[in-house]
Amino acid sequence: MFHISLFVMSCYPAYSIKNRLVVTYIKKNKLIRFSTLIAIVLMSISCKIDKDHRFDILEYGAIADGKTLNTKFIQAAIDKAIETKGTVIIPKGDFYTGSITLGSNITLQFEEGAKLIASSKMKDYQQSSFIFAPNADNLTIKGKGIINGNGESFFDKNWKFTERPKPWIVIKDAKNVSVSGITIENSPAHCLVFQFCENVRVDSVTIKNHPRSPNTDGIDINNSRDVLITNCTIATGDDAICIKNQNKPEFFIGEHANQRSRYTENVTVKNCLLESDDAALKLGTGSAYHTRNCTFQDITIKNSRYGIALFMMDGGIYSDINFQNINIETGGRQKDEYGIFLDIHRRDSLSEIGTIKNINFRDINITTNGLLYFSGYPGKEISEITLENVKITIPNAENTVLENWKKPKGNKKIQYWDNTLNYVQSPGSLIVAHAKNVKIKNTSIRHNQGKMDRYGVYLIDVEKLDTTLLTGNTLNKEAFIFKKKLNED
């Protein structure tokens, strides 16, 4: 009995006096059963642990008026949760706050009606991001609440900015991370960024940003592995979902010095609705190492400049990437549109030429007034490219701007070089250049109307081509497929 009392008192010093009374009572009352006492003690411990492991920010001083700066109160609750592997509760209400830092083995839980509102003043950010989670293994962010980035405070009327918190929510060097249920809106920068993470789950997350807001990527996966993104709805001013690996010196110190840690691999995106002022699904432009084993399926894309885009810039490798059962409708405010864009370029004039191989597009429906563009490089061809069961519809090919289009680079800072290849002005709706082992099977290209002279398929130096069951019509051209050699005028 004495040992039990010591255990209880050591765990809960605040109740030590009460526990001494219990021991005294036990000594004087021999009739109390030992088993009953054990049950009482265990129930008390259980209740106390449950209570201690849930930290409501209201109990730490937070005020839900949408204007009081609650940073220190919210961070205090988070710090307590980190100590005990507990749960931080964001209750119903509007909580205005500066930057906060999350840690390992905690849950950030939003109750229905809860909203975190990011501060509009840079002085309230003690770090570059609004929410930063370094080395945050076993981190969970969930609930039905909203995180609002106060983005309009950092942009002028022309959507220009001077300074802003960026990226906005960053989870870095973490394993076993789950983000589910929440809504992220009005961000001033890239929204949800994972760097050097492993075993990531993002489910039923909604992201909403103004289509003019620059650099507001929805979800970025950088140098990470084993990622599953499901049931998300994203409408934003930049890429909706972007997969990349980057070559920044600060990324590769300590554990990052291992070459394998630089890979981006085993990424799956399923059952999502995407809309973007740029690319709905994008690989790149960060492409310094190997991105492989990625699957994108059961996805609806609408009102986006690019449906799917692969930008190879940094001499790395894209391989074993599968796109399946995707409906794409391009559009938006941009003049040029691409149902699919796949290209090898150089970030600078001397950078190595990358590799793109084994990329598969199956069961894809595309509606666009623009192009589908696939281009490698002479001597570094894209290879093993498959389009199977692809339906391409061009409602109105009247876009005379086509003659003035320049090949997209995926990033405004990247330049055109003397060795830049540009075939986007070629008169075809499906353009393939510098490629080998290309399969275009059971695919149709239908032009509904238009006066532009356009072939169905325009080929430049393509080897080992399989065009089984390729059908469609042309616009003012006799041949549906046009083949051109590299040095042919």
Side-chain angles (χ1 to χ4, degrees):
M1 204 70 67
F2 176 71
H3 294 298
I4 294 172
S5 178
L6 281 180
F7 172 74
V8 174
M9 286 188 288
S10 65
C11 292
Y12 306 105
Y15 293 86
S16 58
I17 296 176
K18 179 180 178 181
N19 289 328
R20 291 192 191 100
L21 294 177
V22 170
V23 172
T24 303
Y25 180 81
I26 292 170
K27 289 179 179 179
K28 293 182 178 180
N29 297 272
K30 305 293 186 179
L31 296 178
I32 294 180
R33 291 171 57 89
F34 181 75
S35 58
T36 303
L37 178 62
I38 291 294
I40 293 171
V41 171
L42 290 178
M43 287 175 62
S44 174
I45 292 174
S46 175
C47 292
K48 188 71 173 75
I49 289 176
D50 286 345
K51 184 178 186 302
D52 280 357
H53 285 190
R54 293 174 64 84
F55 303 94
D56 190 319
I57 63 173
L58 289 175
E59 297 180 3
Y60 286 80
I63 299 173
D65 60 3
K67 58 183 181 180
T68 299
L69 188 66
N70 289 296
T71 311
K72 63 181 181 180
F73 309 124
I74 296 173
Q75 191 62 56
I78 292 170
D79 292 343
K80 284 294 183 180
I82 292 172
E83 291 177 7
T84 60
K85 300 181 180 181
T87 297
V88 178
I89 303 298
I90 311 296
K92 181 178 179 180
D94 294 348
F95 297 93
Y96 185 77
T97 178
S99 59
I100 57 177
T101 301
L102 305 180
S104 296
N105 304 306
I106 69 168
T107 296
L108 184 64
Q109 181 172 322
F110 290 78
E111 295 184 348
E112 189 167 3
K115 181 185 290 187
L116 279 187
I117 303 173
S119 172
S120 61
K121 301 174 182 178
M122 286 301 299
K123 68 180 182 64
D124 295 328
Y125 293 83
Q126 304 304 311
Q127 58 207 20
S128 60
S129 301
F130 172 55
I131 296 177
F132 184 45
N135 305 108
D137 291 352
N138 309 311
L139 170 67
T140 297
I141 302 174
K142 67 178 183 178
K144 298 182 179 180
I146 296 172
I147 305 178
N148 185 298
N150 221 333
E152 71 278 0
S153 299
F154 301 97
F155 300 121
D156 64 19
K157 62 180 181 180
N158 296 314
W159 295 99
K160 303 293 184 180
F161 58 86
T162 52
E163 57 178 352
R164 56 182 176 156
K166 64 174 186 177
W168 193 42
I169 301 172
V170 179
I171 301 172
K172 185 176 181 181
D173 297 294
K175 296 180 180 179
N176 307 321
V177 177
S178 174
V179 182
S180 63
I182 62 171
T183 294
I184 298 171
E185 63 183 18
N186 198 17
S187 172
H190 293 188
C191 295
L192 184 56
V193 179
F194 298 92
Q195 296 177 351
F196 289 105
C197 291
E198 184 174 342
N199 192 22
V200 174
R201 300 293 180 265
V202 180
D203 181 65
S204 301
V205 168
T206 298
I207 297 176
K208 300 184 292 185
N209 294 312
H210 194 284
R212 290 290 305 278
S213 58
N215 306 125
T216 53
D217 288 14
I219 301 174
D220 283 357
I221 307 299
N222 300 341
N223 306 74
S224 295
R225 304 167 54 195
D226 303 320
V227 178
L228 176 61
I229 301 172
T230 54
N231 307 310
C232 292
T233 300
I234 302 173
T236 188
D238 209 328
D239 309 317
I241 296 177
C242 188
I243 315 296
K244 52 191 170 184
N245 51 63
Q246 296 177 308
N247 183 16
K248 294 184 178 180
E250 64 269 26
F251 281 5
F252 305 116
I253 57 176
E255 65 182 283
H256 301 154
N258 184 296
Q259 179 74 23
R260 183 173 175 81
S261 71
R262 307 179 188 190
Y263 291 177
T264 301
E265 58 186 348
N266 306 330
V267 178
T268 299
V269 179
K270 298 173 59 177
N271 300 316
C272 292
L273 175 61
L274 308 177
E275 182 174 350
S276 168
D277 193 56
D278 206 52
L281 292 173
K282 180 179 176 182
L283 274 66
T285 58
S287 49
Y289 300 98
H290 200 160
T291 298
R292 63 185 181 184
N293 300 332
C294 299
T295 298
F296 306 86
Q297 68 181 64
D298 304 322
I299 295 169
T300 297
I301 295 169
K302 63 179 184 178
N303 204 35
S304 299
R305 181 187 181 191
Y306 308 88
I308 298 168
L310 285 76
F311 289 92
M312 171 54 67
M313 296 284 166
D314 301 313
I317 303 172
Y318 293 150
S319 74
D320 307 295
I321 314 294
N322 297 297
F323 300 90
Q324 185 168 0
N325 194 24
I326 299 176
N327 293 312
I328 298 172
E329 182 178 348
T330 63
R333 66 187 179 91
Q334 305 294 341
K335 294 180 179 179
D336 54 347
E337 304 173 13
Y338 296 86
I340 300 174
F341 183 90
L342 184 154
D343 181 63
I344 297 176
H345 189 65
R346 289 172 164 174
R347 191 173 294 274
D348 60 62
S349 60
L350 300 177
S351 62
E352 294 184 10
I353 300 172
T355 299
I356 300 178
K357 62 182 180 180
N358 195 19
I359 313 296
N360 303 298
F361 303 88
R362 292 187 170 91
D363 304 311
I364 313 288
N365 291 322
I366 301 172
T367 302
T368 181
N369 286 322
L371 308 174
L372 279 72
Y373 185 88
F374 302 80
S375 179
Y377 225 84
K380 201 68 179 291
E381 296 84 1
I382 57 175
S383 64
E384 302 168 65
I385 309 297
T386 298
L387 281 75
E388 185 172 359
N389 300 329
V390 177
K391 180 181 178 182
I392 303 162
T393 302
I394 317 289
N396 186 4
E398 296 283 359
N399 194 350
T400 56
V401 180
L402 179 65
E403 298 176 357
N404 298 318
W405 285 8
K406 290 185 176 181
K407 184 183 74 171
K409 303 177 273 64
N411 188 313
K412 293 180 179 179
K413 296 180 181 179
I414 299 172
Q415 300 182 32
Y416 297 104
W417 312 103
D418 291 339
N419 52 17
T420 293
L421 302 178
N422 178 15
Y423 300 115
V424 299
Q425 296 177 18
S426 302
S429 291
L430 170 56
I431 300 169
V432 184
H434 308 301
K436 60 184 179 182
N437 297 318
V438 176
K439 296 179 181 180
I440 306 175
K441 304 176 67 175
N442 195 26
T443 291
S444 66
I445 303 173
R446 176 64 56 184
H447 299 87
N448 289 347
Q449 63 177 340
K451 296 179 181 180
M452 293 184 64
D453 287 343
R454 197 186 285 196
Y455 296 99
V457 179
Y458 195 94
L459 305 173
I460 304 169
D461 284 333
V462 178
E463 300 178 7
K464 298 182 181 180
L465 173 67
D466 180 355
T467 56
T468 304
L469 296 176
L470 172 61
T471 62
N473 67 328
T474 64
L475 286 177
N476 308 311
K477 296 287 186 181
E478 293 182 2
F480 181 67
I481 300 177
F482 180 84
K483 297 182 180 180
K484 180 179 178 180
K485 295 296 184 182
L486 178 60
N487 296 318
E488 186 177 274
D489 292 333

